[in-house]
Every structure is written in C-alpha cells, then in structure tokens.
Amino acid sequence: MERRTVLIVLFDGVQSLDFTGPLEVFTGAASAVPGAYDIRTGSLDGSPVRTSSGLTVVPDLALRGAPAPHTLIVPGGEGTRAMDPGVVEWLREAAPAALRLVSVCTGAYALAAAGLLDGRRVTTHWALCEGLAERFPSVEVDPDPIFIRDGTVSTSAGVTSGIDLALALVEEDLGREVALTIARYLVVFLRRPGSQRQFSVQLAAQSAQRRPLRDIQQYIAEHPGADLSVTALAERANLSPRHFARAFREEVGTSPGRYVDQTRLEVARRLLEDTDDGIEEVSRACGYGTSEAMRRAFVRDLGAAPAEYRRRFHP
C-alpha cells in the first residue's frame, strides 16, 4: 500500500482546531489502516509555536529542507493576518511539489499570498471571504460551500469544516468504510458534502426592519409547504405584490422566491437528517410538490440527490 505523507504547517497564531481536526482524522486513518499515512507537523525552522488560544505546540520537523509531502495542509488562525514572509516564501517554492494542497479557514490567505490560488475557485470562513476576494482579485472566492476542491487544491471554511474536508480526502484514498469508521469515532457525520452551506438561511439573510416583513420571514420558516408565492405572501403582508417584492429584496437582501427556495431546501435537509419520513412525504411537506422537483433542487444546490444526502447524514 502506498504510504502517503501528510505535512501540516504550523506557525505562531495558528488556530488549534484548524490543524488538530484534520490531524485527528488522518491519525485515525493511519490507525485503522496501518501504513496508510505518515503524519507530520512542521514550523519554518522546527521551533515550537504558540496557537491563537495560547497553546504551545512542538512540531515534528523544520519545513526548510523537508521532502515534498503527498498532502500539504495549511491551517488558519490569527497568524495568517500578518503571515511570516518566510512561511509564504516556503509555500511558494515548496507547495507546488505536493500532490494535494489543502487549506483550512484563513489558511487560504497564506496560499493566496504565495500565488497558489490564482485562477482557482476557493472558499474560507464566511466572514472573511469578502476580504480574501478584495485582497486577491485573481482568486475566485465562493462564500457558500464548506469546502471546495479545485483540481489538486482544496480549501475549506471555518474550523470544523477542515474535518469534513479531511474525511473526504480519506474516503478518496482508503474508501468510504474507513472514513465512516473515523467519523463515528470522532462523533461527526460522514460527511457533509462540500457544497453544503456554511450557515442557515435565517443566519445568512438580513432580518427585515419592518414588522410585517419579519413576520413573513418567520411564516416562511414555519410553513415551507404552504403557498409561498409572491402574491400569497404579499397578501399576508397587506402589500401589493410589486411593493412587497421590492421591499423584501431591499430589507432581506434577496428576492422572496430565492429566500423561499433556500428555506425549503434547508427544511428538507433537516427532515432527511432527523426523521424517517419518505422522500415523497418530505417533498410535499416542504412545498416541492413532487420528489423530482426536490431532487433537482438538491442536485443543483448540494450536488447530491435526496436519497444520497440521507445516506450520508441520517444516523
């Protein structure tokens, strides 16, 4: 069996969960399949580093002079805000030799600073996506998914999404059963699809300023199977359809139709995860009408059909 070297980059100000999450996944895989992985951590000169939470970590080796790994992981943390130029230069020179390049959270900033994300579609923590796009205009930043794989480069969102990405890589290397064993041990799902959104519709959207529109947002969340057409919602808000659609977009930041679509998808996901209701029953409860309409919505937004989504998430 091929022995894959996994090298995790450490630096002062690294977020501990950003690197310990993937570290635990790959270490678990190495225990489940002896010889599958050789996991190492490294700082630029091999010196101990202090994490953003104050934890001191002693790396295994110095990055300078280290052989090219199979998988190179760059975690995020406060240290990426003013990244050590030496680390950036090392990444620029050494990272292209790795077969897989991975970032967790703001580790994407370090990769972008090294010119390794130019022309690629990437993600990072939702709160920092806009800053990444502004600072590195040659990088295509998508704030929605929890992780994105673009060729040999994979980027993930904040903190725990690094575990999801690591599980995806282990599943690719060693198969679903090994990854599932690790996920069960870590008490996490195998695995959230990379296209799953970083946060819920209600958290992502703005809250309307006017009470009638806020009430409409709550009504949509509580009654996904109801008639949620613009005409019906406008009547409930005592506004004309045209006035309602314009006011809703201005105050919520998206159109009523798109908000309804996202809410229905989110409710359907929860029902598939938490209940044993049939696909047809879930589709009716969420206002899709038919299971085929729900399947199209899932494939379009999540990259997985409802049955596959349930297989991944339902305990």
Side-chain angles (χ1 to χ4, degrees), residues 108-109 112-113 117-118 120 122 124-143:
Y109 274 76
L117 300 184
D118 290 353
R120 294 189 181 275
V122 307
T124 187
H125 189 287
W126 63 267
L128 300 167
C129 281
E130 184 176 349
L132 181 63
E134 290 177 353
R135 183 173 171 184
F136 303 101
S138 59
V139 178
E140 181 187 347
V141 182
D142 187 341

Side-chain angles (χ1 to χ4, degrees), residues 249-263:
R249 179 182 286 277
E250 288 175 353
E251 296 198 18
V252 179
T254 188
S255 69
R258 183 58 179 158
Y259 189 86
V260 168
D261 288 345
Q262 292 175 338
T263 300

Side-chain angles (χ1 to χ4, degrees), residues 202 216-224 228 259 263 267 270:
Q202 286 71 35
I216 289 297
Q217 287 180 280
Q218 182 174 350
Y219 179 79
I220 292 171
E222 295 175 351
H223 303 86
L228 300 180
Y259 189 86
T263 300
V267 175
R270 288 202 301 268

Side-chain angles (χ1 to χ4, degrees), residues 191-262:
R191 60 181 163 80
R192 291 186 293 172
S195 55
Q196 185 167 322
R197 288 189 172 87
Q198 293 192 36
F199 37 62
S200 71
V201 175
Q202 286 71 35
L203 288 176
Q206 304 170 47
S207 179
Q209 298 178 4
R210 282 178 279 181
R211 177 65 181 271
L213 295 182
R214 289 201 305 273
D215 289 345
I216 289 297
Q217 287 180 280
Q218 182 174 350
Y219 179 79
I220 292 171
E222 295 175 351
H223 303 86
D227 178 1
L228 300 180
S229 64
V230 170
T231 299
L233 294 176
E235 182 177 353
R236 176 170 288 275
N238 294 316
L239 298 170
S240 71
R242 184 176 179 181
H243 185 191
F244 168 76
R246 183 174 64 250
F248 192 94
R249 179 182 286 277
E250 288 175 353
E251 296 198 18
V252 179
T254 188
S255 69
R258 183 58 179 158
Y259 189 86
V260 168
D261 288 345
Q262 292 175 338

